[in-house]
Amino acid sequence: MKIASKDVSAVSMVKEALEKAKRCKNYNIFTSLNEESALHRAKEIDEKIARGEDAGRLAGVPYALKDNFLSKEGNTTASSKILEPLRAPLDSTTVEKLEAEGAIMIGRTNMDSFAHGSSTENSYFGPTLNAYDKERVAGGSSGGSAVAVAKGIVQFATGTDTGGSIRQPASFNGVYGFKPTYGTISRYGVVAMASSTDCIGFFARSASDIDLLMSVCAGQDPKDLTTLPDYYNEKNDKEIKKIGIIKDFDLSKVDPAIKTAFDNKVAELKKDGHEVVELSMPALKYALAVYYIVVPAEITSNLSRHDGIRYGYRSEDAKSLDDVFSMSRGAGFMPENKRRIMIGNFVLSSGFYDAYYLKAQKARTLIIDEYKKAFEKCDFILTPVSPNPAFKLGEKVGDPVSMYLEDVMSVPLNLAGVPGLAIPAGETESGLPVGLQIVGPRRSDKALLEFAGKIAGEAKINEEVE
Ligand code: GLN
């Protein structure tokens, strides 16, 4: 990570990041930029450095914030109309911790509205374009954050991963994207999607940069009771010998470039002396169905607070209380938000609760157990992130199920709460990035990032604007 010092000023780093962000305007990466306050903070950091004071481990590093993190700076919209007028009264714990170490937020990044999606096409502000092909999607839901790093605008960006939203856009744009163990980073101050799978994580150029960000942001937070006791920085000298590959994922059906990247990485690992172990994980075939029952159920509950009364958008035409709810929510949510609210209500409704929600929770337990057993046989697991590289804009918007199928290899980790890192692993013939993911047991986050640092290098950054 390039940190401000006596030789490189924070002001010059922030100016450069803002200029690059403006040059990439057509990619629709940011929902808002923070020019004035970012430059003001940069000056303060430079003054600290000039006085010889400690300006923090992330002194002057410009970063991009996914638009579902609350911060007093700018409006938190979660790329929705219903939250567009929201000025947050507080900073999320992540923002607080990053800024205490001197990092400077230059802007908020575009996303699928409320993080529902895999392409950033569900944003109220329109889609973000892929860093390598403007006719293709950025991935989602944290598409803006992934492209902000891939275009070299910022050295890191925050993301949320409820079912792949960090790892999939990272792999679509050739950068690193990390979803930690559930509960490692506080969710306080982040717009909730599905509380039992929501994770805060990062996009960056290398595993070691993510390790630094994790050591700043991980830790127990009294404001989020699901956070784990501080474990991240504990030393772990375990030697990584055995890598699992899941035979239940039929790789003959994935894009050939992804299969080749996978086969190459397995061959490399073997050559470096790792033992490759085949795993049978039959319960994973239920993961996608389980996810699209449990997650909409939680979404329904979490989105009920957006009622047009307490905060956010309220329809001007409403004449009765019922109108306020239905007209504000009707105009404020995107179609995908509404689809999930309806699915969630359906699977929770009496008569269907046992058949869908309860059954899905039981299957979730099977999936959790399966990962536990798998990690008795290996140290980490290697899989693709998604079956395809970035698809064409508009290609899947009319077919939600084909969009959901893109998440088939990313959502199992969220259901089990285990960590996963997307690493850049090659490209297709036409130059689209291809990613793989390394999956570890709960709380193996640091060891996983260290291992990734050994088997994969710095991400390639594509600064070309055309
Ligand atoms: N694509 C997944 C979904 O649409 C993931 C979302 C996420 O991780 N926020 O639910």
Side-chain angles (χ1 to χ4, degrees):
M1 191 95 64
K2 190 170 133 203
I3 316 267
S5 63
K6 287 209 161 115
D7 306 325
V8 198
S9 74
V11 168
S12 67
M13 280 165 62
V14 166
K15 274 195 180 151
E16 193 188 333
L18 286 164
E19 269 159 30
K20 283 186 182 164
K22 285 184 203 156
R23 239 181 285 141
C24 292
K25 202 172 181 316
N26 292 344
Y27 287 84
N28 201 20
I29 298 167
F30 291 92
T31 54
S32 58
L33 285 179
N34 250 0
E35 286 200 65
E36 221 178 282
S37 65
L39 284 166
H40 178 78
R41 266 187 50 79
K43 269 195 205 117
E44 285 176 353
I45 301 268
D46 285 338
E47 283 161 14
K48 261 194 177 176
I49 294 172
R51 287 196 300 269
E53 290 169 25
D54 178 7
R57 285 186 283 168
L58 299 171
V61 179
Y63 76 98
L65 188 71
K66 187 176 179 182
D67 202 6
N68 54 352
F69 286 70
L70 302 193
S71 116
K72 288 180 211 147
E73 216 50 72
N75 287 18
T76 303
T77 73
S79 290
S80 71
K81 177 181 169 76
I82 204 156
L83 286 183
E84 203 194 359
L86 179 70
R87 185 131 202 142
L90 53 90
D91 284 333
S92 57
T93 300
T94 304
V95 166
E96 227 173 63
K97 288 189 169 180
L98 291 172
E99 308 226 335
E101 290 293 344
I104 301 174
M105 195 254 279
I106 63 148
R108 296 168 161 281
T109 55
N110 198 15
M111 55 186 277
D112 285 300
S113 173
F114 285 99
H116 304 171
S118 310
S119 66
T120 312
E121 291 169 290
N122 297 330
S123 165
Y124 175 55
F125 305 110
T128 297
L129 312 185
N130 186 279
Y132 286 81
D133 180 347
K134 281 164 119 181
E135 286 174 12
R136 291 180 186 266
V137 300
S141 65
S142 320
S145 284
V147 180
V149 174
K151 282 283 166 205
I153 298 170
V154 283
Q155 297 181 70
F156 79 91
T158 69
T160 55
D161 191 313
T162 301
S165 280
I166 291 178
R167 290 160 288 144
Q168 185 251 28
S171 74
F172 279 14
N173 294 284
V175 296
Y176 283 82
F178 186 51
K179 173 205 118 52
T181 299
Y182 179 80
T184 303
I185 297 183
S186 168
R187 293 176 293 120
Y188 179 72
V190 176
V191 178
M193 177 175 166
S195 308
S196 79
T197 67
D198 285 350
C199 284
I200 312 304
F202 300 101
F203 295 87
R205 297 178 193 178
S206 68
S208 61
D209 279 358
I210 294 180
D211 175 38
L212 171 62
L213 297 165
M214 288 300 296
S215 64
V216 168
C217 293
Q220 199 160 22
D221 181 3
K223 295 179 189 140
D224 173 0
L225 294 178
T226 62
T227 45
L228 296 167
D230 302 355
Y231 75 88
Y232 185 77
N233 289 307
E234 280 165 18
K235 195 117 195 75
N236 180 346
D237 292 327
K238 191 168 172 236
E239 205 194 329
I240 306 305
K241 288 198 210 94
K242 292 185 183 171
I243 305 301
I245 56 173
I246 305 175
K247 60 177 188 215
D248 310 78
F249 284 157
D250 182 0
L251 295 192
S252 67
K253 294 200 183 117
V254 308
D255 183 274
I258 297 179
K259 184 169 179 334
T260 306
F262 183 81
D263 291 344
N264 289 346
K265 192 54 85 187
V266 169
E268 252 173 57
L269 288 167
K270 280 188 182 157
K271 208 169 127 232
D272 290 346
H274 296 93
E275 186 184 335
V276 173
V277 186
E278 277 214 341
L279 302 167
S280 161
M281 299 181 73
L284 290 194
K285 63 175 166 295
Y286 304 121
L288 194 69
V290 169
Y291 176 88
Y292 277 100
I293 292 172
V294 172
V295 166
E298 295 185 24
I299 286 173
T300 288
S301 160
N302 277 328
L303 291 187
S304 64
R305 71 191 70 170
H306 305 292
D307 53 10
I309 293 179
R310 285 171 283 190
Y311 44 74
Y313 166 80
R314 178 184 301 177
S315 166
E316 297 289 328
D317 305 325
K319 302 230 159 25
S320 66
L321 184 62
D322 274 354
D323 275 2
V324 174
F325 294 149
S326 61
M327 293 170 85
S328 307
R329 285 167 70 83
F333 286 128
M334 299 293 284
E336 183 62 25
N337 306 137
K338 294 178 193 170
R339 186 175 292 123
R340 300 206 182 194
I341 292 171
M342 285 191 282
I343 297 173
N345 276 308
F346 177 77
V347 299
L348 289 174
S349 57
S350 80
F352 295 106
Y353 180 90
D354 287 2
Y356 292 100
Y357 186 72
L358 202 64
K359 204 185 246 177
Q361 290 292 20
K362 288 181 183 162
R364 182 177 186 176
T365 305
L366 291 178
I367 292 166
I368 295 170
D369 286 347
E370 211 153 72
Y371 274 103
K372 275 193 200 139
K373 286 199 195 107
F375 288 121
E376 285 164 13
K377 299 195 188 96
C378 64
D379 301 307
F380 294 129
I381 299 173
L382 184 74
T383 79
V385 179
S386 60
N388 297 299
F391 42 90
K392 285 253 164 79
L393 285 157
E395 190 182 322
K396 293 181 193 281
V397 270
D399 183 358
V401 173
S402 81
M403 188 76 91
Y404 298 166
L405 280 166
E406 289 298 307
D407 303 332
V408 67
M409 295 185 229
S410 48
V411 299
L413 283 69
N414 298 76
L415 294 171
V418 296
L421 175 74
I423 58 170
E427 54 185 45
T428 64
E429 262 173 33
S430 60
L432 292 175
V434 163
L436 296 175
Q437 72 181 330
I438 309 171
V439 187
R442 288 171 65 84
R443 305 189 195 212
S444 67
D445 304 48
K446 197 175 181 62
L448 197 163
L449 290 166
E450 279 171 6
F451 174 69
K454 286 184 198 140
I455 68 158
E458 269 274 291
K460 190 175 102 201
I461 299 299
N462 175 18
E463 294 201 38
E464 265 168 54
V465 176
E466 254 358 280

